[in-house]
Amino acid sequence: MAEFWLTDEQFAKIAPHLPTDTRGKERVDDRRVISGIIHVLKSGGRWTDAPREIYGPKKTLYNRFVRWAAKGVWGDLFETLARAGGPPSQVLIDSSAVKAHRCASGGKGGQSQAIGRSRGGRTTKIHALTDRFCRPLAFLLTGGQVADCKAGAQLLERAPACRIMLADKGYDSDAIRRQIEATGAAPNIPPKSNRRWKPCFSPVLYKGRNAIERMFGRLKDFRRIATRYDRSATNYLAAVCIAATVSCWL
């Protein structure tokens, strides 16, 4: 069928990490509700468009998504499954811009909602770390005008231990290189043409950097990731974490 539904194996992987501190009324079937949330993210439709006869009331889907986003449940689930993959030998860092739909405007906090203006108009940037198997490890949201090296310094603080860090020219700064080397990893970043001293660089290793581009491609198969409709950066980041969990870690 066209609607998404978690398989037995997929749900078994996430069930142990779902909240258990439910108070009062018993929670509606987790598998059905989470499947409905994922269906909305994949299809790009409105919450009201989710088939009620399959997933239940739209209000239940939306409230579960928003409340667990505010509590950090979706992000914790993603990070738990990502850590279970073991330490990677190589880590890749890059970003991808996403167009913000007009309905994403008006969120409380203005610029703090990670929407900025760039040549593409109103955009959000998804900054990510992945391993060489296209599996994401961490995410950070900024406005589309934020430079990669500026956000990269913040994202690298969450990078797992590795031997090699791959990045493009946007991350070629002395500060970024020193930050990577301080963790015991070797930065493999193509030097900019205006550098007087050219650091060591391996074109052979750099060929593997396309893994992070393919990871972004998988994420953007989810239409509510390819276009941002959420006003809240917290909700949009939660959607990114859900998409990454489903497409890469389940």
Side-chain angles (χ1 to χ4, degrees), residues 81-108:
L81 294 178
R83 285 195 300 268
S89 59
Q90 296 181 9
V91 172
L92 296 69
I93 184 171
D94 203 356
S95 69
S96 182
V98 173
K99 185 79 171 177
H101 193 269
R102 62 177 178 81
C103 67
S105 61
K108 295 180 180 179

Side-chain angles (χ1 to χ4, degrees), residues 45-247:
R46 302 169 300 170
W47 292 98
T48 190
D49 294 331
R52 183 187 179 95
E53 64 277 10
I54 298 176
Y55 302 121
K58 63 176 182 180
K59 187 175 181 180
T60 302
L61 302 182
Y62 179 74
N63 285 346
R64 180 79 60 88
F65 171 71
V66 172
R67 288 170 183 170
W68 281 12
K71 292 180 180 179
V73 173
W74 304 118
D76 290 344
L77 174 62
F78 159 69
E79 291 176 3
T80 299
L81 294 178
R83 285 195 300 268
S89 59
Q90 296 181 9
V91 172
L92 296 69
I93 184 171
D94 203 356
S95 69
S96 182
V98 173
K99 185 79 171 177
H101 193 269
R102 62 177 178 81
C103 67
S105 61
K108 295 180 180 179
Q111 292 296 325
S112 64
Q113 297 303 325
I115 295 179
R117 289 195 175 274
S118 61
R119 281 185 288 181
R122 298 177 65 256
T123 54
T124 291
K125 257 188 185 179
I126 306 174
H127 304 264
L129 296 171
T130 72
D131 63 15
R132 62 192 182 95
F133 300 110
C134 309
R135 299 178 301 187
L137 306 171
F139 293 108
L140 176 68
L141 297 184
T142 68
Q145 80 285 359
V146 176
D148 286 348
C149 59
K150 182 177 180 181
Q154 184 177 350
L155 187 58
L156 285 172
E157 295 175 359
R158 299 161 54 192
C162 64
R163 291 182 295 173
I164 300 173
M165 180 74 67
L166 299 176
D168 62 21
K169 288 184 180 181
Y171 298 89
D172 181 28
S173 71
D174 292 337
I176 290 290
R177 289 180 180 274
R178 286 195 297 268
Q179 185 177 358
I180 294 172
E181 290 167 352
T183 66
N188 193 54
I189 305 172
K192 294 179 180 177
S193 58
N194 60 355
R195 268 191 175 272
R196 292 185 179 180
W197 176 75
K198 306 291 186 184
C200 294
F201 170 68
S202 170
V204 176
L205 289 174
Y206 190 70
K207 289 180 179 179
R209 202 193 67 83
N210 68 76
I212 196 167
E213 304 289 355
R214 283 151 42 208
M215 184 279 297
F216 279 124
R218 290 180 186 176
L219 285 187
K220 291 184 178 182
D221 284 339
F222 289 71
R223 299 184 69 182
R224 287 185 73 99
I225 305 301
T227 301
R228 175 174 170 176
Y229 298 99
D230 296 287
R231 293 181 178 182
S232 166
T234 299
N235 291 349
Y236 184 64
L237 180 59
V240 171
C241 290
I242 294 172
T245 300
V246 174
S247 62

